[in-house]
Amino acid sequence: MKIIALPAFRNREINPYNSLLYENLTALGVRVEEFSVWKLVRGGYDIWHIHWPELILNTPSYLMATLRVRAFLSLMEIARKRGIKIVWTVHNLRSHEGFHPKLEERFWERFLSMVDGHISLTFIGQEELFRTYPQLRRVPGFVIPHGHYRDVYPNNISRKQARALLGLPMDSRVILFIGQIRRYKNLPSLIRAFNSLPEKDVRLVIAGKPVDGELTNRLFKLVKSDSRIMFHPKFIPPEGIQVYLNSADLVVLPYSEILNSGSALLALSFDRPVLAPAKGSIIELRDSVGKDWVMLYTGELRGDTLNDALDWAISTKRRARAPLDRFSWDNIARETLRAYKEVLERG
């Protein structure tokens, strides 16, 4: 079987999800190649596996977005003429920024009409997919979980070393947000909730690459008034991730919307308890790993919720390692291969 994937390996430094999936598929005898226009047009592939197609809309320029949409849809038409089946892994149901609503609506209508199979990362995510795009009930659909990141990143420093590197007091209670800084992740809400905590021994660390200069400037203004907040708006390299996660008592994901979250699995891969909204895949993740590891909240994040979660994270007796066997990459690769075979057989 020959797969062309967008992306396959080239985003390894930013998010190793794809490379982990395709390395394990390669171990099963599947030939996987990185997407390029020339390769796709030349043909010879069984499946084009697409991740995050909504990124082509992620530009404020309507002209640029229109050109990208036309080019992408034309490539999908070429693939189908070459006999290549198209499989979409549903990381998101729409673009996060929503720059061009009408163009995006037209894009999804045409894109979905050419999808031969789809993969959701949770059953809840698949239900939301069918509610949003009911036409996809007509093509093969699969639920295959997001894999963990255990043993992917370096993890060989202690809490004491991590806190020393960040300049955090050893006796402080540390709340962490780590990941790309984007509007839907609702960081102003987290900062406001933290500001309401009166304790002097608590710290908030926010670390990740910003994708929005205006939002970054707003966050700088919000954190300026509270010396307990540490703001690191930068890309965190793989070797630096352990510094932040090993320093933390609690990882908070204050998202206003969430379908899937690799950040939650990243935190659990470092055996850090997570606070997140009761939305999307997080509910299913909590049910899978247990209430000792994931706490959910509803509505707007408040200071008392944050304080209760911090107490829970520190005082709860839990196993030394989060139970992540269900999220092993070799199992995920086997399930993905079965999905590919069914798409081809149905075709």
Side-chain angles (χ1 to χ4, degrees):
M1 188 182 296
K2 194 174 177 182
I3 309 298
I4 186 169
L6 176 64
F9 306 101
R10 68 188 184 202
N11 63 331
R12 188 193 311 265
E13 287 291 305
I14 299 171
N15 182 357
Y17 169 92
N18 299 76
S19 60
L20 290 166
L21 170 62
Y22 295 122
E23 284 165 4
N24 281 271
L25 276 167
T26 301
L28 296 176
V30 179
R31 181 174 174 181
V32 181
E33 293 187 10
E34 186 71 58
F35 170 86
S36 78
V37 173
W38 166 242
K39 289 178 182 177
L40 185 75
V41 171
R42 188 180 59 196
Y45 299 95
D46 298 294
I47 286 173
W48 180 14
H49 194 168
I50 298 173
H51 302 261
W52 300 289
E54 69 279 0
L55 291 180
I56 63 171
L57 294 151
N58 192 23
T59 171
S61 168
Y62 181 79
L63 176 60
M64 181 61 69
T66 300
L67 293 174
R68 288 178 178 177
V69 164
R70 289 178 178 174
F72 193 84
L73 294 176
S74 295
L75 287 172
M76 291 181 72
E77 291 171 356
I78 291 170
R80 290 173 67 84
K81 289 178 181 176
R82 297 285 189 274
I84 302 170
K85 299 299 178 184
I86 295 173
V87 173
W88 172 37
T89 288
V90 188
H91 298 278
N92 300 304
L93 296 176
R94 58 186 66 85
S95 68
H96 290 304
E97 281 71 22
F99 288 126
H100 315 290
K102 291 184 178 179
L103 176 63
E104 181 162 350
E105 184 179 348
R106 294 195 297 272
F107 165 73
W108 285 119
E109 181 180 0
R110 188 75 187 106
F111 173 83
L112 297 171
S113 72
M114 292 188 280
V115 168
D116 299 295
H118 51 85
I119 296 171
S120 297
L121 303 181
T122 64
F123 289 99
I124 290 174
Q126 189 181 66
E127 290 171 7
E128 292 191 27
L129 173 71
F130 289 150
R131 279 195 295 270
T132 307
Y133 305 122
Q135 62 269 45
L136 285 181
R137 293 182 184 273
R138 298 194 296 266
V139 299
F142 313 90
V143 176
I144 303 173
H146 192 304
H148 64 66
Y149 294 115
R150 186 164 281 161
D151 303 321
V152 174
Y153 295 105
N155 187 11
N156 50 31
I157 66 171
S158 66
R159 169 180 299 224
K160 183 177 181 180
Q161 290 171 315
R163 291 193 173 189
L165 287 168
L166 292 175
L168 292 166
M170 272 305 298
D171 59 351
S172 62
R173 300 185 299 158
V174 178
I175 298 166
L176 172 68
F177 169 90
I178 187 168
Q180 273 197 340
I181 296 174
R182 306 178 73 167
R183 290 180 185 271
Y184 78 93
K185 296 189 177 182
N186 203 21
L187 287 172
S189 174
L190 172 59
I191 294 169
R192 285 192 295 268
F194 180 83
N195 287 154
S196 70
L197 301 181
E199 293 87 354
K200 293 183 179 180
D201 70 335
V202 67
R203 298 289 187 273
L204 172 62
V205 180
I206 298 173
K209 182 180 178 180
V211 298
D212 183 327
E214 183 180 336
L215 174 62
T216 306
N217 291 334
R218 181 185 174 196
L219 294 178
F220 268 120
K221 291 177 183 177
L222 288 173
V223 305
K224 192 186 303 182
S225 61
D226 196 328
S227 61
R228 300 173 300 170
I229 302 176
M230 182 179 292
F231 185 32
H232 290 175
K234 61 182 181 180
F235 172 71
I236 310 301
E239 62 274 12
I241 288 175
Q242 64 170 330
V243 176
Y244 290 93
L245 283 161
N246 286 334
S247 74
D249 294 300
L250 173 70
V251 174
V252 180
L253 308 176
Y255 301 176
S256 56
E257 60 179 82
I258 182 170
L259 182 66
N260 302 293
S261 176
S263 296
L265 276 160
L266 176 63
L268 293 169
S269 298
F270 279 81
D271 306 306
R272 291 296 174 263
V274 174
L275 173 68
K279 297 180 179 180
S281 65
I282 295 296
I283 299 171
E284 206 164 305
L285 180 63
R286 189 276 310 270
D287 293 343
S288 179
V289 301
K291 295 181 180 179
D292 290 348
W293 289 100
V294 177
M295 176 182 280
L296 304 179
Y297 68 91
T298 57
E300 188 71 10
L301 180 60
R302 302 187 309 273
D304 57 347
T305 304
L306 196 57
N307 191 57
D308 289 347
L310 190 53
D311 289 342
W312 159 82
I314 293 171
S315 64
T316 297
K317 293 183 179 179
R318 55 178 65 86
R319 286 176 287 179
R321 307 199 85 191
L324 299 179
D325 290 348
R326 177 173 178 259
F327 307 99
S328 67
W329 285 102
D330 54 345
N331 290 335
I332 289 166
R334 289 188 181 92
E335 291 181 41
T336 303
L337 180 54
R338 283 196 291 268
Y340 288 163
K341 289 176 178 178
E342 185 171 332
V343 169
L344 294 172
E345 288 168 4
R346 292 275 289 271

